[in-house]
Amino acid sequence: MNKKLLALLMGASMVMAACGGGGDKDSASEVNPEKLYNQKCSGCHGGDLKGGTGPDLSKIGAALSKDEIQKIIEEGKGGMPSGLYKGEEASKVAEWLAEKK
C-alpha cells in the first residue's frame, strides 16, 4: 500500500512540475505571455514551440483563432489539463500563440 501511495505522489509531482508553477507577471499590470508559456507550456510543447509530448504550436495561429486557443488553455483538450491559465493570463498567452503563423 505504501509503495502505491508513493508512486501516486511521485507521478502527481512530476505532472505538477511539467505543468509549472503559478503565473508570473513582469510588473503589477503587464503579463509576459512568453514567460507564462515557458513556465507551464514548454514542458510539453517545447521551448521552440515545435512540440514534444504535446503538439507543435509553431504555426497554431494559422489553424486556430485566439479565442479557440484561449478556450483550449482554459478548458484543456485531449491530454492537456484544464485551468493552466485563466482570465487575462490565458488571453495573453492565446494572443501570443495566435500570432504564430
Side-chain angles (χ1 to χ4, degrees):
M1 180 68 170
N2 287 337
K3 287 182 182 181
K4 288 181 182 180
L5 181 59
L6 182 59
L8 177 65
L9 291 173
M10 293 295 287
S13 62
M14 287 175 62
V15 168
M16 297 282 289
C19 291
D24 188 23
K25 296 184 180 181
D26 284 340
S27 69
S29 64
E30 196 171 323
V31 175
N32 182 327
E34 188 171 1
K35 193 177 236 185
L36 293 173
Y37 172 86
N38 286 326
Q39 289 176 342
K40 293 189 179 180
C41 310
S42 64
C44 293
H45 296 285
D48 60 359
L49 304 168
K50 297 285 185 185
T53 57
D56 182 333
L57 299 178
S58 62
K59 296 181 182 179
I60 193 67
L64 299 175
S65 71
K66 179 215 174 251
D67 291 337
E68 291 169 322
I69 295 168
Q70 183 171 344
K71 182 177 179 181
I72 293 169
I73 292 169
E74 292 182 336
E75 297 178 8
K77 182 176 179 182
M80 182 173 157
S82 64
L84 293 179
Y85 289 112
K86 297 270 186 197
E88 181 185 3
E89 291 175 331
S91 177
K92 292 294 186 178
V93 173
E95 181 178 5
W96 179 75
L97 287 170
E99 295 170 358
K100 311 301 179 204
K101 297 182 181 192

Coordinates of all heavy atoms in Angstrom, one line a residue:
M1 N 0.8 -1.2 0.0 CA 0.0 0.0 0.0 C 0.9 1.3 0.0 O 0.6 2.2 -0.7 CB -0.9 0.0 1.2 CG -1.8 1.1 1.3 SD -3.1 1.1 0.0 CE -4.1 2.4 0.6
N2 N 1.9 1.3 0.8 CA 2.8 2.5 0.9 C 3.5 2.7 -0.4 O 3.7 3.9 -0.8 CB 3.8 2.3 2.0 CG 3.1 2.5 3.4 OD1 2.1 3.1 3.5 ND2 3.8 2.0 4.4
K3 N 3.9 1.6 -1.1 CA 4.6 1.8 -2.4 C 3.6 2.4 -3.4 O 4.0 3.2 -4.2 CB 5.1 0.5 -2.9 CG 6.3 0.0 -2.1 CD 6.8 -1.3 -2.7 CE 8.0 -1.8 -1.9 NZ 8.6 -3.0 -2.4
K4 N 2.4 2.0 -3.4 CA 1.4 2.5 -4.4 C 1.2 4.0 -4.1 O 1.1 4.8 -5.0 CB 0.1 1.8 -4.3 CG 0.2 0.4 -4.9 CD -1.2 -0.3 -4.8 CE -1.1 -1.7 -5.4 NZ -2.4 -2.4 -5.3
L5 N 1.1 4.4 -2.8 CA 0.9 5.8 -2.4 C 2.1 6.6 -2.9 O 1.9 7.7 -3.4 CB 0.6 5.9 -0.9 CG 0.4 7.3 -0.4 CD1 -0.9 7.9 -1.1 CD2 0.1 7.3 1.1
L6 N 3.2 6.1 -2.6 CA 4.5 6.8 -3.0 C 4.5 7.0 -4.5 O 4.8 8.1 -5.0 CB 5.7 6.1 -2.5 CG 7.0 6.7 -2.8 CD1 7.1 8.1 -2.2 CD2 8.2 5.9 -2.3
A7 N 4.2 6.0 -5.3 CA 4.2 6.0 -6.7 C 3.2 7.1 -7.2 O 3.4 7.9 -8.1 CB 3.9 4.7 -7.3
L8 N 2.0 7.1 -6.6 CA 1.0 8.1 -6.9 C 1.5 9.5 -6.7 O 1.3 10.4 -7.5 CB -0.3 7.8 -6.2 CG -1.5 8.8 -6.4 CD1 -1.9 8.7 -7.8 CD2 -2.6 8.5 -5.4
L9 N 2.1 9.7 -5.5 CA 2.6 11.1 -5.2 C 3.7 11.5 -6.1 O 3.8 12.6 -6.5 CB 3.0 11.1 -3.7 CG 1.9 11.0 -2.7 CD1 2.5 10.9 -1.3 CD2 1.0 12.2 -2.8
M10 N 4.6 10.6 -6.5 CA 5.7 10.9 -7.4 C 5.1 11.2 -8.7 O 5.6 12.2 -9.4 CB 6.7 9.7 -7.5 CG 7.4 9.4 -6.2 SD 8.5 10.8 -5.7 CE 9.8 10.6 -6.9
G11 N 4.2 10.5 -9.2 CA 3.6 10.8 -10.5 C 2.9 12.1 -10.5 O 3.0 12.9 -11.5
A12 N 2.1 12.4 -9.5 CA 1.4 13.7 -9.4 C 2.4 14.8 -9.3 O 2.2 15.9 -10.0 CB 0.5 13.7 -8.2
S13 N 3.5 14.7 -8.6 CA 4.5 15.7 -8.6 C 5.2 16.0 -9.9 O 5.6 17.1 -10.2 CB 5.5 15.5 -7.4 OG 6.3 14.3 -7.6
M14 N 5.4 14.9 -10.7 CA 6.0 15.0 -12.0 C 5.1 15.8 -12.9 O 5.5 16.6 -13.7 CB 6.3 13.6 -12.6 CG 7.5 13.0 -11.9 SD 7.8 11.3 -12.5 CE 8.2 11.6 -14.2
V15 N 3.8 15.5 -12.8 CA 2.8 16.3 -13.7 C 2.8 17.7 -13.3 O 2.8 18.6 -14.1 CB 1.4 15.7 -13.6 CG1 0.4 16.6 -14.2 CG2 1.4 14.3 -14.2
M16 N 2.8 18.0 -12.0 CA 2.8 19.4 -11.5 C 4.1 20.1 -11.9 O 4.0 21.3 -12.4 CB 2.8 19.4 -10.0 CG 1.5 18.9 -9.4 SD 0.1 20.0 -9.5 CE 0.6 21.2 -8.3
A17 N 5.2 19.4 -11.9 CA 6.5 20.0 -12.3 C 6.5 20.3 -13.8 O 6.9 21.4 -14.3 CB 7.7 19.1 -12.0
A18 N 5.9 19.4 -14.6 CA 5.8 19.6 -16.1 C 4.9 20.7 -16.4 O 5.1 21.5 -17.4 CB 5.4 18.3 -16.7
C19 N 3.9 20.9 -15.7 CA 2.9 22.0 -16.0 C 3.3 23.3 -15.4 O 2.7 24.3 -15.7 CB 1.5 21.6 -15.4 SG 0.8 20.2 -16.4
G20 N 4.3 23.3 -14.5 CA 4.8 24.6 -14.0 C 4.1 25.0 -12.7 O 3.2 24.4 -12.2
G21 N 4.6 26.2 -12.2 CA 4.0 26.7 -11.0 C 3.0 27.8 -11.3 O 2.3 27.8 -12.4
G22 N 2.9 28.8 -10.5 CA 1.9 29.9 -10.6 C 2.3 30.8 -11.7 O 3.4 30.8 -12.3
G23 N 1.4 31.6 -12.1 CA 1.6 32.6 -13.1 C 2.6 33.7 -12.7 O 2.9 33.9 -11.5
D24 N 3.2 34.3 -13.7 CA 4.2 35.3 -13.4 C 4.0 36.6 -14.2 O 3.6 36.5 -15.3 CB 5.6 34.7 -13.8 CG 6.8 35.6 -13.3 OD1 6.6 36.4 -12.4 OD2 7.8 35.5 -13.9
K25 N 4.1 37.7 -13.6 CA 3.9 39.0 -14.2 C 5.2 39.8 -14.1 O 5.9 39.8 -13.1 CB 2.8 39.8 -13.6 CG 1.4 39.0 -13.7 CD 0.3 39.9 -13.2 CE -1.0 39.1 -13.4 NZ -2.1 39.8 -12.9
D26 N 5.6 40.5 -15.2 CA 6.8 41.3 -15.2 C 6.6 42.5 -14.3 O 7.5 42.9 -13.7 CB 7.1 41.7 -16.6 CG 7.7 40.6 -17.4 OD1 8.2 39.6 -16.8 OD2 7.7 40.7 -18.6
S27 N 5.4 43.1 -14.3 CA 5.2 44.2 -13.4 C 3.8 44.0 -12.9 O 3.1 43.0 -13.2 CB 5.3 45.5 -14.2 OG 4.2 45.6 -15.1
A28 N 3.3 44.9 -12.1 CA 2.0 44.8 -11.5 C 0.9 44.7 -12.5 O -0.1 44.1 -12.2 CB 1.7 46.0 -10.5
S29 N 1.0 45.3 -13.7 CA -0.1 45.3 -14.6 C 0.3 44.6 -16.0 O -0.6 44.5 -16.8 CB -0.5 46.7 -14.9 OG 0.5 47.4 -15.5
E30 N 1.5 44.2 -16.2 CA 1.9 43.7 -17.5 C 2.2 42.2 -17.5 O 3.0 41.7 -16.7 CB 3.1 44.4 -18.0 CG 3.4 44.2 -19.5 CD 4.5 45.1 -20.0 OE1 4.6 46.3 -19.5 OE2 5.2 44.7 -20.8
V31 N 1.5 41.4 -18.3 CA 1.6 40.0 -18.3 C 2.6 39.7 -19.5 O 2.4 40.2 -20.6 CB 0.3 39.3 -18.6 CG1 0.4 37.8 -18.8 CG2 -0.7 39.6 -17.4
N32 N 3.6 38.8 -19.2 CA 4.5 38.4 -20.3 C 4.1 37.0 -20.8 O 4.4 36.1 -20.1 CB 5.9 38.4 -19.7 CG 7.0 38.1 -20.7 OD1 6.7 37.3 -21.7 ND2 8.2 38.6 -20.6
P33 N 3.4 37.0 -21.9 CA 2.9 35.7 -22.4 C 4.0 34.7 -22.7 O 3.8 33.5 -22.4 CB 2.1 36.0 -23.6 CG 2.7 37.3 -24.1 CD 3.1 38.0 -22.8
E34 N 5.2 35.1 -23.2 CA 6.2 34.2 -23.5 C 6.8 33.5 -22.2 O 7.1 32.3 -22.1 CB 7.4 34.9 -24.2 CG 8.4 33.9 -24.7 CD 9.4 34.5 -25.7 OE1 9.3 35.8 -25.9 OE2 10.3 33.8 -26.2
K35 N 6.9 34.3 -21.1 CA 7.3 33.8 -19.9 C 6.3 32.8 -19.3 O 6.7 31.8 -18.8 CB 7.5 35.0 -18.9 CG 8.3 34.6 -17.6 CD 8.5 35.9 -16.8 CE 10.0 36.1 -16.5 NZ 10.2 37.2 -15.6
L36 N 5.0 33.2 -19.4 CA 4.0 32.2 -18.9 C 4.1 30.9 -19.7 O 4.0 29.8 -19.1 CB 2.6 32.9 -19.1 CG 2.3 34.1 -18.2 CD1 1.0 34.7 -18.6 CD2 2.3 33.7 -16.7
Y37 N 4.2 31.0 -21.0 CA 4.3 29.8 -21.9 C 5.5 29.0 -21.4 O 5.4 27.7 -21.2 CB 4.6 30.2 -23.4 CG 4.9 29.0 -24.2 CD1 3.9 28.2 -24.8 CD2 6.2 28.6 -24.4 CE1 4.2 27.1 -25.5 CE2 6.5 27.5 -25.2 CZ 5.5 26.7 -25.7 OH 5.8 25.6 -26.4
N38 N 6.6 29.6 -21.2 CA 7.8 28.8 -20.7 C 7.6 28.2 -19.4 O 8.2 27.1 -19.1 CB 9.1 29.8 -20.7 CG 9.6 30.0 -22.1 OD1 9.5 29.2 -23.0 ND2 10.0 31.3 -22.3
Q39 N 6.8 28.7 -18.5 CA 6.5 28.2 -17.2 C 5.7 26.9 -17.2 O 5.9 26.0 -16.5 CB 5.9 29.2 -16.3 CG 6.9 30.3 -15.8 CD 6.2 31.3 -15.0 OE1 5.0 31.5 -15.0 NE2 7.0 32.1 -14.3
K40 N 4.6 27.0 -18.0 CA 3.6 25.9 -17.9 C 3.4 25.1 -19.2 O 2.7 24.1 -19.2 CB 2.3 26.4 -17.4 CG 2.3 26.9 -16.0 CD 0.9 27.2 -15.5 CE 0.9 27.7 -14.1 NZ -0.4 28.0 -13.6
C41 N 3.9 25.6 -20.3 CA 3.5 25.0 -21.6 C 4.7 24.3 -22.3 O 4.6 23.3 -23.0 CB 2.9 26.0 -22.6 SG 1.6 27.0 -21.8
S42 N 5.9 24.9 -22.1 CA 7.1 24.5 -22.9 C 7.5 23.0 -22.5 O 8.1 22.4 -23.3 CB 8.2 25.4 -22.7 OG 8.7 25.4 -21.3
G43 N 7.1 22.6 -21.3 CA 7.5 21.2 -20.9 C 6.9 20.2 -21.8 O 7.5 19.1 -22.1
C44 N 5.7 20.5 -22.4 CA 5.0 19.5 -23.3 C 5.1 20.0 -24.8 O 5.2 19.2 -25.7 CB 3.6 19.4 -22.9 SG 3.3 18.6 -21.4
H45 N 5.1 21.3 -25.0 CA 5.1 21.8 -26.4 C 6.4 22.3 -26.8 O 6.6 22.7 -28.0 CB 4.1 23.0 -26.5 CG 2.7 22.5 -26.2 ND1 1.9 21.8 -27.1 CD2 1.9 22.7 -25.1 CE1 0.7 21.6 -26.6 NE2 0.7 22.1 -25.4
G46 N 7.4 22.2 -26.0 CA 8.8 22.6 -26.4 C 9.1 24.1 -26.2 O 8.2 24.9 -26.5
G47 N 10.3 24.4 -25.9 CA 10.7 25.8 -25.7 C 10.7 26.5 -27.1 O 10.6 27.7 -27.1
D48 N 10.8 25.7 -28.2 CA 10.8 26.3 -29.5 C 9.4 26.2 -30.2 O 9.3 26.4 -31.4 CB 11.9 25.7 -30.4 CG 11.7 24.1 -30.5 OD1 10.7 23.6 -29.9 OD2 12.5 23.5 -31.2
L49 N 8.4 25.8 -29.4 CA 7.0 25.6 -29.9 C 6.9 24.4 -30.9 O 5.8 24.2 -31.4 CB 6.5 26.8 -30.6 CG 6.5 28.1 -29.8 CD1 6.2 29.3 -30.7 CD2 5.5 28.1 -28.7
K50 N 7.9 23.6 -31.1 CA 7.9 22.5 -32.1 C 7.3 21.2 -31.6 O 7.2 20.3 -32.3 CB 9.3 22.2 -32.5 CG 10.0 23.4 -33.2 CD 9.4 23.6 -34.6 CE 10.2 24.7 -35.3 NZ 9.7 25.0 -36.6
G51 N 6.8 21.2 -30.3 CA 6.2 20.0 -29.8 C 7.1 19.1 -29.0 O 8.3 19.3 -29.0
G52 N 6.5 18.1 -28.5 CA 7.2 17.1 -27.6 C 6.1 16.1 -27.3 O 5.6 15.4 -28.2
T53 N 5.7 16.0 -26.1 CA 4.6 15.2 -25.7 C 3.3 15.8 -26.2 O 2.3 15.2 -26.4 CB 4.5 14.8 -24.2 OG1 4.5 16.0 -23.5 CG2 5.7 14.0 -23.8
G54 N 3.3 17.2 -26.3 CA 2.2 17.9 -26.8 C 2.4 18.3 -28.3 O 3.6 18.2 -28.8
P55 N 1.4 18.8 -29.0 CA 1.6 19.1 -30.4 C 2.4 20.3 -30.7 O 2.6 21.2 -29.8 CB 0.1 19.3 -30.9 CG -0.7 19.6 -29.7 CD 0.0 18.9 -28.5
D56 N 2.9 20.4 -31.9 CA 3.7 21.6 -32.4 C 2.7 22.8 -32.4 O 1.6 22.7 -32.9 CB 4.1 21.2 -33.8 CG 4.9 22.3 -34.5 OD1 4.8 23.5 -34.1 OD2 5.7 22.0 -35.4
L57 N 3.2 23.9 -31.8 CA 2.4 25.1 -31.8 C 3.1 26.2 -32.6 O 2.6 27.4 -32.6 CB 2.3 25.6 -30.3 CG 1.5 24.7 -29.3 CD1 1.5 25.3 -27.9 CD2 0.2 24.3 -29.8
S58 N 4.1 25.9 -33.3 CA 4.9 27.0 -34.0 C 4.0 27.7 -35.1 O 4.4 28.8 -35.4 CB 6.1 26.4 -34.7 OG 5.8 25.4 -35.6
K59 N 2.9 27.1 -35.6 CA 2.1 27.7 -36.6 C 0.6 27.6 -36.2 O -0.3 27.6 -37.0 CB 2.3 27.1 -37.9 CG 3.7 27.4 -38.4 CD 4.0 26.9 -39.8 CE 5.4 27.2 -40.2 NZ 5.8 26.7 -41.4
I60 N 0.4 27.5 -34.9 CA -1.0 27.3 -34.4 C -2.0 28.4 -34.7 O -3.2 28.2 -35.0 CB -1.0 27.1 -32.8 CG1 -2.4 26.5 -32.3 CG2 -0.6 28.3 -32.0 CD1 -2.7 25.1 -32.8
G61 N -1.5 29.6 -34.9 CA -2.3 30.8 -35.3 C -2.9 30.6 -36.7 O -3.9 31.3 -37.0
A62 N -2.2 29.8 -37.5 CA -2.8 29.6 -38.9 C -3.9 28.6 -38.8 O -4.8 28.6 -39.8 CB -1.7 29.0 -39.8
A63 N -4.1 27.9 -37.8 CA -5.1 26.8 -37.7 C -6.3 27.3 -36.7 O -7.4 26.9 -37.0 CB -4.5 25.5 -37.2
L64 N -5.9 28.0 -35.7 CA -6.9 28.3 -34.7 C -6.9 29.8 -34.4 O -5.8 30.5 -34.4 CB -6.6 27.6 -33.3 CG -6.7 26.1 -33.4 CD1 -6.2 25.5 -32.0 CD2 -8.0 25.6 -33.8
S65 N -8.1 30.4 -34.0 CA -8.2 31.8 -33.6 C -7.7 31.9 -32.2 O -7.5 31.0 -31.4 CB -9.6 32.2 -33.7 OG -10.4 31.6 -32.7
K66 N -7.5 33.2 -31.8 CA -7.1 33.5 -30.4 C -8.1 32.9 -29.5 O -7.8 32.3 -28.4 CB -7.0 35.0 -30.2 CG -6.6 35.4 -28.8 CD -7.3 36.7 -28.4 CE -7.1 37.0 -27.0 NZ -8.2 36.9 -26.2
D67 N -9.4 33.1 -29.8 CA -10.5 32.6 -28.9 C -10.5 31.1 -28.8 O -10.7 30.5 -27.7 CB -11.9 33.1 -29.3 CG -12.0 34.6 -29.2 OD1 -11.3 35.2 -28.3 OD2 -12.9 35.2 -29.9
E68 N -10.2 30.4 -29.9 CA -10.1 28.9 -29.8 C -8.9 28.5 -29.0 O -9.1 27.5 -28.2 CB -10.0 28.4 -31.2 CG -11.3 28.6 -32.1 CD -11.1 28.2 -33.5 OE1 -10.1 28.6 -34.1 OE2 -12.1 27.7 -34.1
I69 N -7.8 29.1 -29.2 CA -6.6 28.8 -28.4 C -6.9 29.1 -26.9 O -6.6 28.2 -26.0 CB -5.4 29.6 -28.9 CG1 -5.1 29.2 -30.3 CG2 -4.2 29.4 -28.0 CD1 -4.1 30.1 -31.0
Q70 N -7.5 30.2 -26.6 CA -7.8 30.5 -25.2 C -8.7 29.5 -24.6 O -8.5 29.1 -23.4 CB -8.4 31.9 -25.1 CG -8.7 32.3 -23.6 CD -9.1 33.8 -23.5 OE1 -8.9 34.6 -24.4 NE2 -9.6 34.1 -22.3
K71 N -9.7 29.0 -25.3 CA -10.6 28.0 -24.8 C -9.9 26.7 -24.4 O -10.1 26.1 -23.4 CB -11.7 27.7 -25.8 CG -12.7 26.7 -25.3 CD -13.8 26.5 -26.3 CE -14.8 25.5 -25.8 NZ -15.9 25.2 -26.7
I72 N -8.9 26.3 -25.3 CA -8.1 25.1 -25.0 C -7.2 25.3 -23.8 O -7.1 24.5 -22.9 CB -7.3 24.8 -26.2 CG1 -8.2 24.3 -27.4 CG2 -6.3 23.6 -25.9 CD1 -7.5 24.2 -28.7
I73 N -6.6 26.5 -23.6 CA -5.8 26.8 -22.5 C -6.6 26.7 -21.2 O -6.2 26.1 -20.2 CB -5.2 28.2 -22.6 CG1 -4.1 28.2 -23.7 CG2 -4.5 28.6 -21.3 CD1 -3.6 29.6 -24.1
E74 N -7.8 27.3 -21.2 CA -8.7 27.3 -20.0 C -9.4 26.0 -19.7 O -9.5 25.6 -18.6 CB -9.7 28.4 -20.1 CG -9.0 29.8 -20.1 CD -10.0 31.0 -20.1 OE1 -11.1 30.8 -20.7 OE2 -9.7 32.0 -19.7
E75 N -9.8 25.3 -20.8 CA -10.6 24.1 -20.6 C -9.9 22.8 -20.8 O -10.4 21.7 -20.5 CB -11.9 24.2 -21.5 CG -12.8 25.3 -21.2 CD -14.0 25.4 -22.1 OE1 -14.2 24.5 -22.9 OE2 -14.7 26.5 -22.0
G76 N -8.7 22.9 -21.4 CA -7.9 21.7 -21.8 C -8.5 21.0 -23.0 O -9.5 21.4 -23.5
K77 N -7.7 20.0 -23.5 CA -8.2 19.3 -24.7 C -7.3 18.0 -24.7 O -6.0 18.1 -24.6 CB -8.0 20.1 -25.9 CG -8.5 19.4 -27.2 CD -8.4 20.3 -28.4 CE -8.9 19.6 -29.6 NZ -8.8 20.4 -30.8
G78 N -7.9 16.9 -25.0 CA -7.1 15.6 -25.1 C -6.3 15.4 -23.8 O -6.9 15.4 -22.7
G79 N -5.0 15.3 -23.8 CA -4.2 15.0 -22.7 C -3.8 16.3 -21.9 O -3.2 16.2 -20.9
M80 N -4.2 17.4 -22.5 CA -3.8 18.7 -21.8 C -4.8 19.0 -20.7 O -6.0 19.0 -21.0 CB -3.8 19.8 -22.9 CG -3.4 21.2 -22.3 SD -3.3 22.4 -23.6 CE -3.5 23.9 -22.6
P81 N -4.3 19.3 -19.5 CA -5.2 19.6 -18.4 C -5.8 20.9 -18.5 O -5.3 21.8 -19.2 CB -4.3 19.5 -17.2 CG -2.9 19.8 -17.7 CD -2.9 19.3 -19.1
S82 N -7.0 21.1 -17.9 CA -7.7 22.4 -17.9 C -7.1 23.3 -16.8 O -6.4 22.9 -15.9 CB -9.2 22.2 -17.6 OG -9.3 21.6 -16.4
G83 N -7.3 24.6 -17.0 CA -7.0 25.6 -16.0 C -5.6 25.9 -15.8 O -5.2 26.4 -14.8
L84 N -4.7 25.7 -16.8 CA -3.3 26.0 -16.7 C -3.2 27.5 -16.5 O -2.4 28.0 -15.7 CB -2.5 25.6 -17.9 CG -2.3 24.1 -18.0 CD1 -1.5 23.7 -19.2 CD2 -1.7 23.5 -16.8
Y85 N -4.0 28.3 -17.2 CA -4.2 29.7 -17.1 C -5.6 30.1 -17.3 O -6.3 29.4 -18.0 CB -3.3 30.5 -18.1 CG -1.8 30.4 -17.8 CD1 -1.0 29.7 -18.7 CD2 -1.3 31.0 -16.7 CE1 0.4 29.6 -18.4 CE2 0.1 30.9 -16.4 CZ 0.9 30.2 -17.3 OH 2.2 30.1 -17.0
K86 N -6.0 31.1 -16.6 CA -7.4 31.6 -16.7 C -7.4 33.1 -16.9 O -6.3 33.8 -16.7 CB -8.2 31.4 -15.4 CG -8.4 29.9 -15.0 CD -9.6 29.4 -15.6 CE -9.9 28.0 -15.2 NZ -10.8 27.3 -16.0
G87 N -8.4 33.7 -17.4 CA -8.6 35.1 -17.5 C -7.5 35.8 -18.3 O -7.2 35.4 -19.5
E88 N -7.0 36.9 -17.8 CA -6.0 37.7 -18.5 C -4.8 36.9 -19.0 O -4.3 37.1 -20.1 CB -5.6 38.9 -17.7 CG -4.6 39.8 -18.4 CD -4.1 41.0 -17.6 OE1 -4.4 41.1 -16.4 OE2 -3.3 41.8 -18.1
E89 N -4.3 36.1 -18.1 CA -3.1 35.3 -18.4 C -3.4 34.4 -19.6 O -2.6 34.3 -20.6 CB -2.6 34.5 -17.2 CG -2.1 35.4 -16.2 CD -1.7 34.6 -14.9 OE1 -2.3 33.6 -14.6 OE2 -0.7 35.1 -14.2
A90 N -4.5 33.7 -19.6 CA -4.9 32.8 -20.7 C -5.1 33.6 -22.0 O -4.7 33.2 -23.1 CB -6.2 32.0 -20.4
S91 N -5.7 34.8 -21.9 CA -5.9 35.6 -23.0 C -4.6 36.1 -23.6 O -4.5 36.1 -24.9 CB -6.8 36.8 -22.6 OG -6.9 37.7 -23.7
K92 N -3.7 36.5 -22.8 CA -2.4 37.0 -23.3 C -1.6 35.8 -24.0 O -1.0 36.0 -25.0 CB -1.6 37.6 -22.2 CG -2.1 38.9 -21.7 CD -2.1 40.0 -22.7 CE -2.6 41.3 -22.2 NZ -2.5 42.4 -23.1
V93 N -1.6 34.7 -23.4 CA -0.9 33.5 -24.0 C -1.5 33.2 -25.3 O -0.8 32.9 -26.3 CB -0.8 32.3 -23.0 CG1 -0.2 31.1 -23.7 CG2 0.0 32.7 -21.8
A94 N -2.8 33.1 -25.3 CA -3.6 32.8 -26.6 C -3.3 33.8 -27.6 O -3.1 33.5 -28.8 CB -5.1 32.7 -26.3
E95 N -3.3 35.1 -27.3 CA -3.0 36.2 -28.3 C -1.6 36.0 -28.8 O -1.4 36.1 -30.0 CB -3.1 37.5 -27.6 CG -2.8 38.7 -28.5 CD -3.0 40.0 -27.7 OE1 -3.3 40.0 -26.5 OE2 -2.9 41.0 -28.4
W96 N -0.6 35.7 -28.0 CA 0.8 35.5 -28.4 C 0.9 34.3 -29.3 O 1.5 34.3 -30.4 CB 1.6 35.3 -27.1 CG 3.1 35.1 -27.4 CD1 4.0 36.0 -27.8 CD2 3.8 33.8 -27.2 NE1 5.2 35.4 -27.9 CE2 5.1 34.1 -27.5 CE3 3.4 32.6 -26.8 CZ2 6.1 33.1 -27.5 CZ3 4.4 31.6 -26.7 CH2 5.7 31.8 -27.1
L97 N 0.2 33.2 -29.0 CA 0.2 32.0 -29.8 C -0.5 32.2 -31.1 O -0.1 31.7 -32.2 CB -0.4 30.8 -29.0 CG 0.5 30.2 -27.9 CD1 -0.3 29.2 -27.1 CD2 1.8 29.6 -28.5
A98 N -1.6 33.0 -31.1 CA -2.3 33.2 -32.3 C -1.5 34.0 -33.4 O -1.8 33.9 -34.6 CB -3.6 34.0 -32.0
E99 N -0.5 34.6 -32.9 CA 0.5 35.3 -33.9 C 1.4 34.4 -34.6 O 2.0 34.8 -35.5 CB 1.3 36.4 -33.1 CG 0.4 37.5 -32.5 CD 1.2 38.4 -31.6 OE1 2.4 38.2 -31.3 OE2 0.6 39.4 -31.1
K100 N 1.5 33.2 -34.1 CA 2.4 32.2 -34.7 C 1.7 31.6 -35.9 O 0.8 30.7 -35.8 CB 2.8 31.1 -33.7 CG 3.2 31.6 -32.3 CD 4.4 32.4 -32.4 CE 4.8 32.9 -31.0 NZ 5.6 34.2 -31.1
K101 N 2.2 32.0 -37.1 CA 1.6 31.5 -38.4 C 2.6 31.1 -39.3 O 3.7 31.5 -39.4 CB 0.7 32.6 -39.0 CG -0.4 33.0 -38.0 CD -1.3 34.1 -38.6 CE -2.3 34.4 -37.6 NZ -3.4 35.2 -38.0

